């Protein structure tokens, strides 16, 4: 019988690893960012949303060290690069406004 926290990270369906927890935290951060953005609570172009997205993507990427998945690697790398680009754009525009 499978346990509630079954995972295939190590091939053992009865283990829940630190990498699993980091990956789930990453998913939670992405869902929070998405929910707050769609709900109009945060601006998707401001650091709060961008950092939530970046940290979420990093968490999922770290979890892939335990159970590699090429599709997840591609989407989360893209997600992180886009978030970094957004943060760089925000930083650059902030500097221009201060000049």
């Amino acid at each position: 019988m499978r346990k509630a926290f079954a995972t295939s990270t190590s091939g053992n369906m009865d283990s829940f690893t630190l990498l699993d927890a980091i990956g789930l935290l990453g998913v939670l951060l992405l869902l929070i960012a998405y929910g707050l953005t769609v709900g109009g609570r945060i601006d998707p172009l401001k650091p709060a949303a961008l950092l939530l997205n970046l940290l979420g993507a990093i968490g999922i990427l770290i979890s892939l060290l335990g159970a590699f998945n090429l599709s997840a690697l591609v989407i989360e790398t893209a997600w992180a690069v886009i978030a970094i680009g957004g943060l760089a754009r925000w930083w650059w525009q902030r500097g221009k406004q201060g000049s």
Side-chain angles (χ1 to χ4, degrees), residues 3-96:
K3 293 187 178 183
F5 289 106
T7 180
S8 62
T9 298
S10 64
N12 181 351
M13 294 302 289
D14 293 330
S15 65
F16 184 80
T17 68
L18 178 60
L19 291 175
D20 293 322
I22 292 169
L24 285 175
L25 178 60
V27 169
L28 180 63
L29 291 174
L30 289 176
L31 291 173
I32 288 169
Y34 185 68
L36 291 174
T37 300
V38 170
R41 307 282 291 185
I42 59 174
D43 184 339
L45 300 177
K46 300 285 180 166
L50 295 167
L51 285 170
L52 283 170
N53 280 298
L54 176 59
L55 294 173
I58 290 170
I60 294 170
L61 287 169
I62 290 170
S63 76
L64 296 178
L65 295 172
F68 182 76
N69 179 305
L70 181 59
S71 299
L73 175 69
V74 170
I75 191 67
E76 297 310 325
T77 299
W79 206 272
V81 167
I82 291 167
I84 290 168
L87 285 166
R89 180 175 182 251
W90 173 83
W91 183 265
W92 183 73
Q93 286 180 341
R94 192 186 100 173
K96 278 181 68 175

